[in-house]
Amino acid sequence: MHYESEKKQSIYRIKTDGTDPLKIISNEAGEMNVSDGWIYYVNILDGDKIYKIRTDGTSKTKVSDDNVSGIIVSDDWICYKNYNDSGYLYRIKIDGTNRMKICEDTIQFTFNLIDGWIYYYNSDKNDILYRVKIDGSRKERVK
């Protein structure tokens, strides 16, 4: 199990029985997701850029130079709000390639990814719930 310490902005690994804690990242981690042996996180010491590190603490790598928040990892993709571009929704491959703007709506609060659909509140449309496919297609209002 992995967790983030809000107070120290660090990421720890710990056994599910609560024993054997190990600090993976010190004083730089914001939001995080764990997927397939990697921890993906927002590096607050590097302007809120996306980084990844193996769950054993090795192979720390910068994934994107965008200033981001709200990262979600699904399959080979990371979805995020890109504050270099008005907080619009973007995606990038976990290896840092194929960066793409998904939509030009202003995302209010958080967003979620379920079955290939990204659900979000569109603040340009009075915070109405919308969804869009992860490839940017089929944007629609949720009723």
Side-chain angles (χ1 to χ4, degrees), residues 29 38 45 66 87 116 128 133 137:
W38 289 90
L45 294 180
D66 291 330
I128 293 172
K133 295 297 277 183
S137 67

Side-chain angles (χ1 to χ4, degrees), residues 28 43-51 62 64-66:
E28 67 183 57
N43 186 326
I44 60 174
L45 294 180
D46 189 20
D48 297 328
K49 310 293 192 273
I50 301 171
Y51 276 69
K62 184 189 281 190
S64 171
D65 281 318
D66 291 330

